Amino acid sequence: MCGIVGYLGKNKAQDILVEGLSKLEYRGYDSAGIAIMENGEIESDKCKGRLSNLQSKLEEKPIQGRIGIGHTRWATHGEPSDVNSHPHLNKDGSIAVVHNVIIENYIELKEELISLGYEFKSETDTEVIPHLVDHYYEGNLLDAVIKATKRMDGSYAIGVMTEKEPNKLIAVRKDSPLIVGIKPGETFIASDIPAILNHTRDIYLLEDNEFVVIEEDKVTILDENKELVSKGFKEEEILASSLVIKNQDGTYVDRFRKRFMIPIRDVKDRVIAFGGRVLDDSKPKYINSPENIVYSK
Ligand code: GLU
């Protein structure tokens, strides 16, 4: 178990990604990396070891841009090394992927992809994902990611970006946590709440097989049939960010604006599931990092 973060917004992605990853250090990791859309091209840096190693590299050679994904790795397939660190890219570097947990059928997928001419650089199970997305890409990243995930057995939370649709991030999860945080002009994804708590409390917890498509002006959450996932939120409050509702004729025009409130019960369950302890009703905290207030009303 390790960590994913993603950002699309008006600020410098590098700082937000690295800060988010630092808040996920409690999950344990052996390497770290980021990929950012810089002038329409994916720039990536990654390395084995502490997040501070990556930070030193980024201080020497910062990556500019407002859209990106980041990862702390806990190796399951392939030793901790620079090349096995995430993000993983397709051959021409136009698709970048970060992934948590394990693709169980990666050997058969890898053999199939090799027979199609794909070349692998790392020993990871994860590297099948950018190649699968590349294989299925026909001008629509969401379609390619849906097709790729249909081929993947196992558990995953993934974040994907491509130079071909440079103002977009896509994320999906199955049996691994992933959240979406929203504030006006900025959207975040993360494996857990502390990674984005400095930025927003408007947080939505993704369910299995929900795809979130993050664009400049909207966030859309869809199922694998591209049907809008309807959500029940406890509180209704006007917020500049919005979800997009799909009409019966397939267009996305009707917007509803609601504040994303996490039911306190869900937060408590998650704190306990992650080895934490609920200290009192209003302020559950992580046992190992008491400064991380997970939720306060
Ligand atoms: N299975 C992947 C790897 O070994 C991801 C591990 C993780 O969750 O960090 O690279």
Side-chain angles (χ1 to χ4, degrees):
M1 187 169 78
C2 53
I4 280 180
V5 292
Y7 177 75
L8 187 154
K10 55 192 179 204
N11 291 312
K12 200 176 166 202
Q14 177 183 302
D15 298 342
I16 289 165
L17 296 175
V18 171
E19 182 216 344
L21 292 176
S22 75
K23 298 282 171 30
L24 297 175
E25 283 183 310
Y26 75 92
R27 293 159 70 90
Y29 67 100
D30 52 51
S31 32
I34 60 171
I36 290 174
M37 198 66 68
E38 186 177 72
N39 301 321
E41 292 190 357
I42 291 175
E43 293 296 328
S44 175
D45 205 348
K46 58 186 191 174
C47 60
K48 178 182 158 182
R50 307 288 304 172
L51 185 60
S52 53
N53 298 355
L54 177 68
Q55 280 172 297
S56 307
K57 291 182 80 187
L58 291 170
E59 265 163 37
E60 265 174 44
K61 195 169 175 292
I63 310 179
Q64 308 299 331
R66 302 177 301 101
I67 302 170
I69 48 182
H71 188 261
T72 44
R73 176 175 189 239
W74 185 261
T76 64
H77 293 71
E79 61 175 5
S81 68
D82 291 352
V83 73
N84 286 337
S85 308
H86 302 212
H88 289 283
L89 279 71
N90 65 332
K91 190 172 180 185
D92 67 9
S94 63
I95 297 169
V97 172
V98 289
H99 161 233
N100 279 170
V101 208
I102 292 171
I103 307 302
E104 275 159 15
N105 61 337
Y106 83 100
I107 291 178
E108 107 196 20
L109 291 172
K110 189 168 177 175
E111 282 168 1
E112 179 183 325
L113 288 159
I114 288 170
S115 76
L116 291 168
Y118 287 92
E119 288 166 19
F120 283 74
K121 291 185 182 147
S122 78
E123 302 160 307
T124 64
D125 51 338
T126 301
E127 200 184 347
V128 297
I129 306 173
H131 296 314
L132 267 183
V133 173
D134 178 290
H135 174 60
Y136 286 118
Y137 189 83
E138 289 176 316
N140 183 312
L141 183 61
L142 176 63
D143 288 344
V145 174
I146 290 174
K147 284 181 181 156
T149 53
K150 283 192 172 146
R151 300 292 315 281
M152 289 156 41
D153 297 334
S155 309
Y156 48 82
I158 60 176
V160 187
M161 57 199 271
T162 178
E163 292 174 1
K164 290 162 190 151
E165 295 167 60
N167 298 312
K168 188 180 282 181
L169 276 187
I170 290 185
V172 58
R173 59 154 273 180
K174 180 172 162 273
D175 301 326
S176 181
L178 198 62
I179 63 169
V180 183
I182 295 174
K183 73 193 256 195
E186 295 177 277
T187 306
F188 309 81
I189 58 169
S191 303
D192 202 5
I193 295 165
I196 59 177
L197 204 55
N198 278 349
H199 303 283
T200 183
R201 305 230 160 169
D202 297 319
I203 291 170
Y204 168 66
L205 312 179
L206 279 182
E207 302 292 338
D208 278 357
N209 300 313
E210 288 180 352
F211 294 78
V212 57
V213 182
I214 300 163
E215 295 167 273
E216 296 282 348
D217 57 348
K218 62 180 188 269
V219 179
T220 315
I221 300 173
L222 302 158
D223 67 17
E224 60 199 351
N225 301 313
K226 291 170 66 174
E227 293 294 327
L228 184 94
V229 177
S230 63
K231 299 291 171 194
F233 298 107
K234 289 217 160 163
E235 303 211 359
E236 299 183 13
E237 241 177 88
I238 301 298
L239 189 72
S241 302
S242 61
L243 276 182
V244 177
I245 298 288
K246 190 177 181 185
N247 287 329
Q248 297 228 323
D249 65 1
T251 56
Y252 295 97
V253 291
D254 181 19
R255 293 181 168 208
F256 79 111
R257 295 161 188 271
K258 295 187 177 193
R259 181 165 282 259
F260 296 82
M261 298 297 294
I262 311 166
I264 187 73
R265 165 102 225 118
D266 288 3
V267 176
K268 281 185 192 171
D269 286 348
R270 283 172 59 68
V271 171
I272 291 162
F274 280 109
R277 144 178 90 128
V278 177
L279 296 180
D280 68 51
D281 274 348
S282 60
K283 290 186 181 173
K285 297 180 182 182
Y286 280 91
I287 207 164
N288 291 328
S289 37
E291 73 283 5
N292 283 336
I293 297 171
V294 176
Y295 184 92
S296 72
K297 255 187 158 178

